[in-house]
Each structure stands twice: as structure tokens, then as C-alpha cells.
């Protein structure tokens, strides 16, 4: 089934999550409702045309031939349509040719593009993250040289962190950087799992590479960040001599076959320092935080596509006697349950992601420390819950199809295969949860408490129309407040033991909050809000019970006990 861009859903949700505050700032004053609607409409039209590339990328994966990456059929044309439309540099500074749009708007566009073809969308997402890292940390000369080409889509960007011995432990990076005496550096080492490490349609591929200078201390405090282009720009800024780097191989993956995931080898490749020596992680985290929200929305994007296909199939498929007499499987109670869960989860995860984007925009527009804290708090939740939702909704999509879901021709299985990696890359969801209960609680929970205050205030406003739903949401926020107080008092290892259920409970409460707000704004959404609040929200209680257990019970399960 062809994908249809859910434009009305974006318009509605932007209102629910408070985008009007963003448009009211001086920085984003041009992002009026009419302007945003026009942008999303044009983006939606483009994304709907990209849909056929999803199957093409799966059936005809990217491949390495004689050292050259050959991309899937149609990907070059699809990428050019994205680039020439200006969709790569939507939020980049107008100083370098970008549109200067709010991240909230870019997030909606990326959502649609990920639904259409996740494998291709990953390419501009990486470039967008690189643009942001360069804007914040590169020298003026490097900004002027690279950002306009990245914004226009002439060049593509990647990030190179992972090595065979340095996955989540980035501090174990061994790639070396040595000064060449002319302001540049020789980069030597091998990186793995590099998304879109090369392609055959852009004029250059620009790699941001983590490496260690000779005087760099051990761990993350000794890592620096370098720009290492595939083709070294000449004096006029045009691609020149080939740098001494190459693609060793492409990974054979569970899914996302259209996106080439490369092993990259750097042999004294020429690179330029980004930011200060030994401060590479700070610069890279700018790119990674951008990517974490983006990846969370990739999960939502695939969930949307999987839901649309499952709904269409359920409305057409005739099977058995149904209580409503149509004969279509959508009238079976269990199928209706699965579809309702898919719809409710997509709404919740998308709302959390857009709320995070609004917080980022408000932080940029106002410089407010509270908005910065809100954005930081929501980022791991948006990433983990968004990608968990992608995996779970795609799984339900297969189930709705029944036996046909296990047959590749329907495409239902591809959604499940493609989205699975999103819960792993840009920091596994377990790492996101650990970040939430540790680093994001260094303020002693103040940002979280402010958010719970808002949830409860909104619930109070809803009591007149929807007392049962409002009461359930209010109580859930109070339970989260109490759980957060207990969490902060725990030793760190006990926090980590309950981190994943804590994050999930947090997301459940936020999802209930946004569903309640949607029911207030549009009575037509009441039935879905009731489903989410009455059937999904109560999970928070069992999740918080796990949080309170701490780590002792986990470590009582010794390797011997687990293998018995």
C-alpha cells in the first residue's frame, strides 16, 4: 500500500505540544501556521513519491564493487529530489544557505521521509547532524567551506565513532591523529558501522572522525574530532585529490539494506581539527543529540508506515464471521485491539518527539536554562520510546497480517527488520535509560518535577469534561514524582537496574498526558484517548514496581544460575 503523509496529524500535534510558543519568538517568527502548513504539504508530496524506493532498497541492497559503493536503484534520483528541494538544510543557518526553520518542522519532514524510505532518509539525517556540529564547533574557515555544500546536498556527511573494541565505550577509541605541521592531521585507524560511509551520487563524503592525539589522555577526555573528507577540497573549495581512506566492506544486515553500512579504513588520511584538542566528545555529542531525536522519530516513522499498511490490510481482508457483519478482519475484537494500540502508540511517541523538538527550539530562541533542561530530559525518552514503539508497532503489523505478514512480498516484515536497528544505534535504549536516571537527574529531578507539574495542571483543567481520564493521568504523574524522589536517593547501580522501566513509565505518563490534551482539543479523538489512558497508561504501575527493586535481585542471578 502506498504511504500517505499524515499532514493533518502533524498540524494537530504541533498545536497540542505548544508549537505556537516557538512561532511567537523573534527567531522563528516566520514559522506561521500557513507557512508551516505549506512546507509540510510540499514535503508530504515529495515523500509520497519516494515510497517505491523502500522496497527497491530492500530487494536490491547497496553493494561494494571494486572499491565503489553502488546504491540501490532509484536512490540517486530520490536523493537529488531531497537535495534540490532544500530538505537537507531545513534548520541550518541562512548564513550558509539553510532555511533556518525550527527543529520542530524539520522533525515532521524527517518523520514523513522515514515513513517513505528509512534507508534513504538516514543519509540526510546524518548530514543534518554534521551541519549542526560544524555550526557549533568548527572554525569559520571550515564552516564556510563545508556547510554550504552540505546544506545544498552537494556533499554528504557521516559520523565515525565505533571501532571493533570501542562500541558503547567510546573512550576506548584507538584511531590516531598526528599533526602534519601545516594545521592538518594524519588520521589512521579503522571505524565500523558507518552509516552511508560512501555513495555514488554526491560530490563528496565528509566524515567526522573521533581520534586520539599523541598527548591525549586515556578515556573520553583524550579524544578529538576531525573532518576527514573523501576528496580533499582544492583552493577553490571543489573536490580535489582522493584522500587516503576507503571502504573495506559493507555489512550484511538484518534490514535497512538500502543504507550502506561501511567498515572505513583511514591510512594517514588528511583531516582538520574540529573544536579544541581533546574536546572531541563535546563536539560529537552536538551531532549525536541531534541524531538521537532524529532516530527516535525514525522509529515513529516506520511505525506510521506499518500502521497504515496494517489498517489497509485489515479493512480489505475477509476472514471468518465478524460481529459487525462486514467479514473484514478489522471487525474482530483482537485485530481492532492491535490496530488501536498501534495508533495510540504512534500518537504518544510522535507527541513526545515533537515536544522534545519544541523544547530544543525554545532553548535556541530564548536561551532559557529551563528549556535547555527540558530538551535534555526529553531526548533519551524520545529516542528510546520512539524506537521501541517502532519495533513494537511493526511487530503488531506483522501479526495483523497473520500468515501473510511472514511473507516478504507484503512488505510487513521489512518494516520490522528495518526498524530494529534504531533501538540499537545512536546509543542503545538501555544507555538512553541510564542517561535519563543519572546525568539527567543531576539537577536532583527539578526538570522532571516541572514536567510532572505541567501534566497535573493539564489534568486539572480536563477534570470538568473528562474526570475519569483526568484523574488517571493526574495520579500517574504523582506516582512518577514519588518514584523519581526514590530513584534519586538510590545508589547509581540500583538506578541503572530500574532505568529502562523508569523511562518506559515516564513515556507512558507523557503519552497519557498528550492523549488527554488531544481529547480536550478534538472530541473526535476521545475514543483513542480513552483506549490509551485506560488500557496502556496503567502499565506505569508495574514498571515503577520494577524500579523500586534495585539491583540486588539482578545480581543474585549469577552466570551459573542463568546457565543452569
Amino acid at each position: 500500500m502506498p504511504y500517505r503523509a499524515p499532514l493533518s496529524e502533524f498540524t494537530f500535534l504541533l498545536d497540542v505540544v505548544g508549537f505556537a510558543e516557538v512561532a511567537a519568538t523573534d527567531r522563528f517568527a516566520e514559522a506561521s501556521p500557513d507557512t508551516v502548513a505549506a512546507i509540510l504539504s510540499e514535503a508530504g508530496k515529495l515523500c509520497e513519491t519516494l515510497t517505491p524506493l523502500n522496497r527497491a532498497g530492500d530487494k536490491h541492497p547497496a553493494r561494494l564493487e571494486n572499491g565503489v559503493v553502488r546504491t540501490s536503484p532509484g536512490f540517486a534520483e530520490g536523493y537529488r529530489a531531497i537535495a534540490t528541494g532544500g530538505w537537507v538544510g531545513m534548520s541550518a543557518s541562512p548564513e550558509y544557505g539553510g532555511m533556518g526553520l525550527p527543529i520542530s518542522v524539520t522533525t515532521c519532514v524527517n518523520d514523513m521521509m522515514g515513513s517513505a524510505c528509512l534507508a534513504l532518509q538516514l543519509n540526510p539525517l546524518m548530514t543534518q547532524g554534521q551541519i549542526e556540529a560544524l555550526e557549533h564547533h568548527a572554525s569559520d574557515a571550515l564552516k564556510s567551506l563545508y556547510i554550504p555544500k552540505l546544506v545544498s546536498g552537494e556533499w554528504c556527511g557521516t559520523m565515525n565513532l565505533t571501532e571493533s573494541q570501542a562500541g558503547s565505550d567510546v573512550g576506548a577509541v584507538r584511531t590516531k591523529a598526528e599533526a602534519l605541521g601545516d594545521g592538518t592531521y594524519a588520521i589512521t585507524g579503522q571505524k565500523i558501522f558507518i552509516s552511508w560511509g560512501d555513495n555514488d551520487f554526491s560530490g563528496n563524503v565528509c566524515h567526522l572522525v573521533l581520534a586520539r592525539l599523541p598527548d591525549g589522555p586515556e578515556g573520553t577526555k583524550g579524544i578529538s574530532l576531525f573532518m576527514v573528507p573523501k576528496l580533499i577540497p582544492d583552493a577553490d573549495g571543489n573536490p580535489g585529490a582522493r584522500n587516503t581512506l576507503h571502504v573495506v566492506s559493507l555489512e550484511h544486515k538484518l534490514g535497512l539494506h538500502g543504507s550502506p553500512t561501511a567498515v572505513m579504513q583511514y591510512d594517514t588520511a588528511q583531516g582538520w581539527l574540529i573544536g579544541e584538542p581533546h574536546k572531541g566528545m563535546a563536539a560529537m555529542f552536538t551531532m549525536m543529540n541531534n541524531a538521537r531525536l532524529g532516530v527516535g522519530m525514525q522509529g515513529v516513522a516506520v511505525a506510521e508506515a506499518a500502521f497504515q499498511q496494517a489498517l489497509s490490510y485489515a479493512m480489505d481482508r475477509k476472514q471468518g464471521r465478524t460481529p459487525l457483519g462486514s467479514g473484514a478482519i478489522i471487525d474482530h475484537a483482537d485485530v481492532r485491539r492491535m490496530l488501536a494500540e498501534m495508533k495510540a502508540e504512534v500518537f504518544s511517541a510522535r507527541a513526545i518527539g515533537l515536544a522534545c523538538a519544541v523544547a530544543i527550539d525554545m532553548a535556541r530562541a530564548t536561551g532559557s536554562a529551563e528549556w535547555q533542561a527540558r530538551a535534555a530530559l526529553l531526548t533519551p525518552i524520545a529516542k528510546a520510546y520512539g524506537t521501541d514503539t517502532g519495533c513494537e508497532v511493526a511487530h503488531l503489523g506483522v501479526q495483523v497480517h497473520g500468515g501473510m505478514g511472514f511473507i516478504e512480498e507484503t512488505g510487513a516484515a521489512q518494516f520490522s527488520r528495518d526498524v530494529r536497528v534504531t533501538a540499537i544505534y545512536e546509543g542503545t535504549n538501555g544507555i538512553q535509560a541510564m542517561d535519563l536516571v543519572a546525568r539527567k537527574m543531576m539537577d536532583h529531578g527539578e526538570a522532571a518535577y516541572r514536567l510532572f507539574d505541567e501534566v497535573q495542571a493539564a489534568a486539572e483543567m480536563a477534570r470538568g469534561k473528562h474526570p475519569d481520564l483526568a484523574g488517571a493521568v493526574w495520579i500517574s504523574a504523582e506516582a512518577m514524582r514519588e518514584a523519581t524522589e526514590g530513584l534519586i536517593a538510590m545508589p547509581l547501580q540500583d538506578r541503572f537496574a530500574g532505568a529502562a522501566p523508569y523511562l518506559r513509565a515516564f513515556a507512558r505518563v507523557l503519552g497519557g498526558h498528550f492523549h488527554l490534551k488531544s481529547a480536550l482539543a478534538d472530541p473526535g479523538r476521545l475514543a483513542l484517548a480513552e483506549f490509551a489512558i485506560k488500557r496502556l497508561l496503567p502499565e506505569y504501575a508495574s514498571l515503577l514496581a520494577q524500579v523500586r527493586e534495585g539491583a540486588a535481585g539482578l545480581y543474585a542471578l549469577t552466570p551459573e544460575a542463568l546457565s543452569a
Side-chain angles (χ1 to χ4, degrees):
M1 178 203 135
Y3 164 74
R4 290 290 176 262
L7 299 177
S8 61
E9 190 75 355
F10 290 118
T11 301
F12 178 78
L13 255 179
L14 285 172
D15 184 56
V16 168
V17 301
F19 180 74
E21 287 189 79
V22 175
T25 65
D26 291 339
R27 177 166 181 168
F28 298 118
E30 295 184 3
S32 66
D34 288 346
T35 298
V36 171
I39 291 169
L40 295 183
S41 177
E42 288 304 308
K45 292 174 185 177
L46 169 66
C47 293
E48 289 175 358
T49 69
L50 298 176
T51 305
L53 299 181
N54 200 47
R55 292 297 285 160
D58 192 56
K59 294 172 68 175
H60 305 286
R63 64 194 188 278
L64 185 64
E65 290 184 351
N66 300 318
V68 177
V69 171
R70 304 295 184 189
T71 56
S72 302
F75 272 43
E77 293 78 9
Y79 177 79
R80 279 194 288 272
I82 294 168
T84 57
W87 303 111
V88 178
M90 287 179 287
S91 291
S93 170
E95 180 182 356
Y96 301 106
M99 296 186 191
L101 289 169
I103 289 291
S104 305
V105 178
T106 298
T107 297
C108 293
V109 174
N110 286 343
D111 187 334
M112 291 187 281
M113 201 176 294
S115 291
C117 182
L118 184 65
L120 180 59
Q121 184 263 350
L122 184 55
N123 182 297
L125 181 69
M126 292 291 96
T127 301
Q128 288 166 359
Q130 185 171 116
I131 290 168
E132 186 169 8
L134 294 176
E135 284 183 340
H136 283 84
H137 301 284
S139 67
D140 289 342
L142 289 178
K143 288 178 185 178
S144 298
L145 173 59
Y146 283 93
I147 296 180
K149 298 291 180 66
L150 294 167
V151 165
S152 69
E154 293 176 66
W155 296 356
C156 294
T158 76
M159 60 178 178
N160 288 233
L161 292 79
T162 308
E163 301 177 8
S164 58
Q165 80 293 338
S168 300
D169 181 14
V170 180
V173 160
R174 294 176 185 162
T175 297
K176 298 185 300 182
E178 297 180 336
L180 293 174
D182 60 355
T184 67
Y185 297 80
I187 311 299
T188 301
Q190 188 174 97
K191 299 288 185 176
I192 64 172
F193 301 159
I194 309 307
S195 297
W196 282 99
D198 199 8
N199 66 70
D200 56 2
F201 50 65
S202 68
N204 206 351
V205 182
C206 309
H207 302 284
L208 285 186
V209 182
L210 288 180
R212 196 180 301 277
L213 291 163
D215 59 343
E218 292 297 314
T220 56
K221 294 182 179 180
I223 296 174
S224 302
L225 182 65
F226 300 87
M227 169 62 77
V228 189
K230 172 183 173 181
L231 303 174
I232 300 171
D234 62 20
D236 297 320
N238 298 312
R242 172 104 189 190
N243 212 341
T244 51
L245 59 89
H246 66 279
V247 177
V248 176
S249 62
L250 299 182
E251 303 291 357
H252 299 280
K253 303 177 294 185
L254 174 68
L256 215 60
H257 296 149
S259 169
T261 302
V263 176
M264 298 296 304
Q265 181 67 40
Y266 297 88
D267 296 310
T268 63
Q270 190 173 16
W272 285 258
L273 182 67
I274 304 296
E276 299 179 28
H278 318 314
K279 302 292 185 181
M281 283 306 297
M284 185 59 89
F285 262 115
T286 301
M287 183 173 186
M288 289 173 65
N289 283 332
N290 175 296
R292 282 173 174 171
L293 172 58
V295 169
M297 298 309 288
Q298 285 185 327
V300 176
V302 175
E304 173 69 40
F307 168 70
Q308 287 192 20
Q309 178 161 318
L311 177 62
S312 176
Y313 182 83
M315 293 173 69
D316 292 339
R317 172 67 168 163
K318 308 290 186 181
Q319 192 75 34
R321 298 176 61 182
T322 62
L324 301 184
S326 74
I329 64 171
I330 193 171
D331 288 339
H332 288 295
D334 189 58
V335 174
R336 189 69 63 93
R337 174 193 63 81
M338 289 189 287
L339 291 167
E341 183 174 339
M342 295 168 80
K343 178 73 171 178
E345 292 284 54
V346 170
F347 180 91
S348 294
R350 181 176 280 139
I352 292 170
L354 287 177
C356 182
V358 164
I360 293 171
D361 287 330
M362 290 301 296
R364 290 179 173 179
T366 67
S368 163
E370 286 193 8
W371 279 115
Q372 291 170 1
R374 172 70 56 87
L377 179 73
L378 288 177
T379 295
I381 302 173
K383 193 279 179 184
Y385 181 58
T387 56
D388 280 347
T389 294
C391 294
E392 292 162 12
V393 168
H395 170 81
L396 284 172
V398 172
Q399 193 71 14
V400 169
H401 282 75
M404 293 305 296
F406 202 65
I407 305 301
E408 286 290 351
E409 281 74 9
T410 66
Q414 183 189 343
F415 292 130
S416 190
R417 290 187 286 102
D418 283 356
V419 78
R420 187 62 187 86
V421 71
T422 64
I424 298 170
Y425 61 27
E426 299 312 325
T428 65
N429 287 357
I431 288 174
Q432 303 303 319
M434 292 165 69
D435 176 51
L436 176 63
V437 302
R439 186 182 299 273
K440 301 305 162 53
M441 294 296 161
M442 291 175 67
D443 64 351
H444 304 289
E446 289 304 314
Y449 297 145
R450 283 194 294 270
L451 192 48
F452 301 147
D453 288 342
E454 289 184 22
V455 172
Q456 291 183 315
E460 290 292 351
M461 291 179 62
R463 282 191 189 275
K465 285 190 175 181
H466 308 297
D468 292 346
L469 301 183
V473 171
W474 193 97
I475 291 169
S476 71
E478 188 64 19
M480 281 302 302
R481 187 190 307 277
E482 294 172 0
T484 303
E485 291 170 353
L487 182 85
I488 292 170
M490 288 180 176
L492 198 57
Q493 206 60 31
D494 285 331
R495 291 194 205 183
F496 289 160
Y502 177 82
L503 184 149
R504 178 84 173 186
F506 210 136
R508 275 280 172 254
V509 173
L510 291 177
H513 164 64
F514 288 121
H515 273 287
L516 180 59
K517 289 188 71 174
S518 76
L520 275 179
D522 179 1
R525 293 174 180 262
L526 177 58
L528 187 66
E530 288 181 328
F531 178 90
I533 293 170
K534 292 180 177 180
R535 296 174 185 258
L536 302 181
L537 176 60
E539 184 188 7
Y540 79 85
S542 62
L543 291 165
L544 294 183
Q546 296 179 55
V547 174
R548 290 188 289 269
E549 283 298 304
L554 295 180
Y555 287 103
L557 289 166
T558 62
E560 293 75 19
L562 290 171
S563 60

